[in-house]
Amino acid sequence: MDPYTPRSRPGSRKKNLTLSQKEYTKVTGTIASVRRTRQYLQDGLPEELAAQVTISHERVRAREQESLGPARDEPSFIAETSFVRAPLNSRVASGAGIPKDKGKGKGKAREDGLSGLPVEIQEALVLEDLLYVLMGIEGTHITYHPDHSPEDDDPLQGVRFTVSSSLDPSLRDLVERILPLATYYTAITSFIELRSHLDFGLVNHALCAALRDMLKDYQTLLSQLEHAFSTSPQFTLQKLWYYVHPTLHTLSLLYLLTTELATADDPSASLSDDSSSSSDAEEAARNEALGLGGAQLKAVLSEINKVAIGGSGIAVKGGEVLAVLHERMQNMSGDPAAHALYGTLLRAAGRPYVEMVQTWIRMGRLIDPYEELCVKESKFIDRGTLEMDYTDEYWERRYTLRDGSTLGGSSKQHQAGVPPPRTVGGRLPGGACVPPVLERWKHKILLAGKYLNVIRECGIEIARDPSHADNEELFMDDEKFYKSIDDAYTYANRTLLSLLLRDQQLISRLRSLKRYFFLSQSSFLTHLLDLAHTELRKSARNASTGKLQSLLELVLGSDVQGEDAMFREDVRVSLSSSGLYEWLLKVLKVNGVIGGEDGDGVDGHAHEDAKKEREKAKDDKKQMLAIDALTLDYTVKFPLSLVISRKTILRYQLIFRFLLHLKHVEQSLSSMWIEHKTAPWRRSTRPAGSVTDNDWHADFENWRRRVFLLRARMLAFVQQILAFATFEVLEPNWRKLEDKLEAGKVETVDQLLRDHVDFLDTCLKECMLTSSKLLTAFSRLIVTCATFALYTSSFTRDANRALAAAETPEGDQGRVKRWDVLGKFETNFNHWFKVHLDCVQFYASSENVSLLPLVVRLNSIKGVS
């Protein structure tokens, strides 16, 4: 803001302000005499006596002037109490904006103190008062408003002044136009004093510094006006108004800004609410780890915060201050002066915010002591946690946006750690409010720092980006700033992607996962099932994980060669606590994707039903075999754990258990086929000549043929499902992912993460593991096949008994039971096969087109019972 001074007028004015020594002495003497007379009147002296005393003092002063000689060019104002106390002379600014109690200070004039005085004298007295009042100091004839109370009034609203009623109306009208300057000045000064506190953050500090610089120009203007008042007899109230009028508009804009910032604090916000702090989740975890009492500690922290920010909830700081400035600049775009003023403040206040962003996106370091930046850090999630449990929480929760938004565009404003918006305006408070100019860049800011932080956690020194100039100063409204964000994002992304794909051999790791979990190298699994047959027949509770792990290492040591041998030590045997299909159905029901089998909702007996389900699950857990609980686990280290996280490993495990169960059932049915090649099943039954014997032989041959047919249909079904899952789901989808990685089509790390998870989700969906209806029908069908395979020895005993009974006079007594068992298997298989086929056809025609090849495969084995 350029100071509006008398010297900025045309050059002819300068000549008028130059007085001779005689004129100068006369003018200053007259002004001093007027002031001295007024002082005596205030002290209670009669008017005639005051005039005499004034004359005598003037004579004394003249004698003193003569005794000092010609070297004393200027009159002394040391005896003038009012001048000595004036901040404009003494340069004491500490009293600005801090009102005095009434009755103190310069003293009060009588109500008719200006009555009867000439207009020129009134103007001189009011001019002197205005120079005090414009600095926030109460004058003699311009005093505080009658309603003013230093204890109750909000200093951020400014101090109001009122003019003596005895002042000439023409002068009073002009003075009342100037008086808002005093209110604006005191309010802005109070705002600077309050918001310079440490707890209000660096952005507020920078804003206060900019406001303080602008007030220096205002104070310079008042100093120059005082000099003109003291030296020029032509300095009038009209000239004062002429010089301060442009400044009135400037200070009014600053006053509106400070008022909005001061009133934006939400008084209804409670610091005791769980959502009132942007770091509640982090504090809760840290307090729990330290064993601190939650309620007592929260009360103490609440009191501390109330002292820091005046008990008004979350203070207006950081991004919210910049958002307010940007909104005002946009709303006042029709006023060039306002637009330029707010633009200057935005650049000044945004400088520390820009520096924090630059430090984050260039070095991966989050230096935000007052929680002003849109990025926040959960410090309780560190790399040490990942080495024990390599979860992707480090990637997803260590560094997040304060507003809770994600890359998908959703904003989780109701989640823990995200403060509620302001009741007035709807803005998120504090650092959770992203400046509008950075809204479209906030995800790149987050990810750029994330990438570099991961690299730094790996112990790799971050090289300086050659495209960035270290000495270049950037501003919030500068296009170079946004280009630097884009460049930093690209550089950090390229560096981390290169680290994962080349240095950490991510593609080789994924290939290893695919071979182990997708049974692409199934020889090791067949060998393992053969060696661990005895252990896998035990219940899951009694099976030895250590023995199974030893057998797995033995199998991998002999069967796995080449690239896979590098990572075989990372494969571990694990036993799940629940069955695959039961667990998947439970997850689907809890997530609310699909309701119960019959579509029934939760009724009044929900509690009893849940209790029965828990008891049933407990019984099933006791009876579950180790083969049904067997799964593989995989160990990776940071930073590969960001890509191969626990969530992705879980998806691999689901697919592995699905394929393992199919493989196990296929192996069991194949063993049944081998059993059916033994003597009881191949023995010829010749008729003995009687009709009864012929009927028995025909019946036995029919039963035996029906067993063969059912076993063949079940084996064909299992093989078709296994072939479909392997060759038409897993392999094609893996090829797509592998081609993307090898061809360099994956441009960002987050795209890599999304592509990897999408690949696994697609495999799960096309393998029918994400639909409750499909999963229910398939699980019933595959369990029927597995149970039928378990009856191999029972069917063999029935065949032997039938053949032996045919030679006895009693005949075959077990015929009815034999047919009854077989009939139940046939009925159950035919029913669930039809239900499963209908579901597959429905989903193939509506939701999942990739199931069309399976429809063709299932129709090829469709037969009659």
Side-chain angles (χ1 to χ4, degrees), residues 832-853:
W832 287 110
F833 182 85
K834 184 178 183 303
V835 172
H836 180 259
L837 180 59
D838 291 342
C839 289
V840 171
Q841 289 176 335
F842 171 76
Y843 281 101
S845 61
S846 58
E847 299 179 11
N848 196 348
V849 183
S850 60
L851 293 177
L852 285 175

Side-chain angles (χ1 to χ4, degrees), residues 84-105:
V84 171
R85 295 178 57 192
L88 295 180
N89 286 331
S90 63
R91 297 296 185 262
V92 179
S94 59
I98 305 176
K100 306 185 297 294
D101 292 338
K102 292 188 176 183
K104 297 180 181 180

Side-chain angles (χ1 to χ4, degrees), residues 454-475:
V454 170
I455 298 172
R456 192 164 53 84
E457 289 283 345
C458 295
I460 301 175
E461 184 179 356
I462 300 175
R464 188 178 66 87
D465 186 1
S467 63
H468 174 65
D470 294 333
N471 57 352
E472 185 178 7
E473 187 175 9
L474 301 175
F475 297 98

Side-chain angles (χ1 to χ4, degrees), residues 226-414:
E226 183 200 15
H227 177 73
F229 168 72
S230 302
T231 59
S232 173
Q234 297 177 351
F235 187 76
T236 62
L237 194 59
Q238 285 286 350
K239 288 188 177 182
L240 176 66
W241 166 247
Y242 175 79
Y243 291 124
V244 301
H245 176 260
T247 309
L248 183 67
H249 178 59
T250 301
L251 289 190
S252 68
L253 294 174
L254 298 181
Y255 174 75
L256 292 175
L257 172 64
T258 57
T259 303
E260 182 175 355
L261 291 174
T263 57
D265 293 337
D266 190 354
S268 64
S270 175
L271 292 174
S272 61
D273 293 341
D274 294 337
S275 59
S276 65
S277 174
S278 62
S279 59
D280 281 348
E282 176 182 342
E283 291 179 2
R286 180 163 63 257
N287 297 339
E288 183 178 356
L290 296 175
L292 300 176
Q296 185 176 3
L297 180 64
K298 186 176 290 186
V300 175
L301 294 177
S302 175
E303 292 300 323
I304 295 175
N305 289 334
K306 285 181 181 179
V307 173
I309 59 178
S312 59
I314 300 177
V316 179
K317 60 182 181 179
E320 189 177 6
V321 175
L322 300 178
V324 172
L325 275 169
H326 181 265
E327 290 175 6
R328 294 202 65 84
M329 185 175 69
Q330 295 298 316
N331 295 336
M332 302 293 288
S333 58
D335 184 350
H339 189 273
L341 177 67
Y342 290 139
T344 302
L345 292 176
L346 180 63
R347 292 168 68 92
R351 185 177 287 109
Y353 199 94
V354 171
E355 291 177 357
M356 286 187 285
V357 170
Q358 289 292 310
T359 304
W360 169 246
I361 65 176
R362 297 292 175 188
M363 303 175 60
R365 298 183 182 274
L366 187 59
I367 304 177
D368 184 17
Y370 304 106
E371 298 182 352
E372 300 175 89
L373 197 62
C374 59
V375 179
K376 72 173 182 178
E377 178 184 8
S378 300
K379 295 183 179 179
F380 67 94
I381 302 176
D382 56 11
R383 184 183 168 187
T385 307
L386 269 70
E387 293 179 352
M388 293 182 293
D389 181 17
Y390 53 104
T391 176
D392 54 356
E393 280 194 350
Y394 183 87
W395 181 262
E396 293 184 356
R397 293 181 53 193
R398 175 70 186 271
Y399 297 103
T400 55
L401 291 173
R402 293 189 185 275
D403 62 357
S405 61
T406 59
L407 281 174
S410 61
S411 181
K412 304 176 183 177
Q413 294 186 5
H414 299 291

Side-chain angles (χ1 to χ4, degrees), residues 35 38 53 174 200 241 338 423 457 495 621 632 792 811 830:
R35 292 171 182 163
R38 180 185 61 191
V53 174
L174 200 54
F200 286 96
W241 166 247
T423 54
E457 289 283 345
T495 306
K621 183 179 178 181
L632 296 182
T792 301
N830 290 332

Side-chain angles (χ1 to χ4, degrees), residues 56-74:
S56 63
H57 272 282
E58 288 296 327
R59 292 173 179 173
V60 172
R61 188 179 62 81
R63 288 196 297 270
E64 293 175 350
Q65 179 77 15
E66 294 175 358
S67 63
L68 290 175
R72 185 87 174 197
D73 296 332
E74 297 182 358

Side-chain angles (χ1 to χ4, degrees), residues 532-546:
H533 177 74
T534 304
E535 197 70 24
L536 295 176
R537 296 288 296 177
K538 298 178 181 180
S539 65
R541 299 178 61 184
N542 298 328
S544 173
T545 307

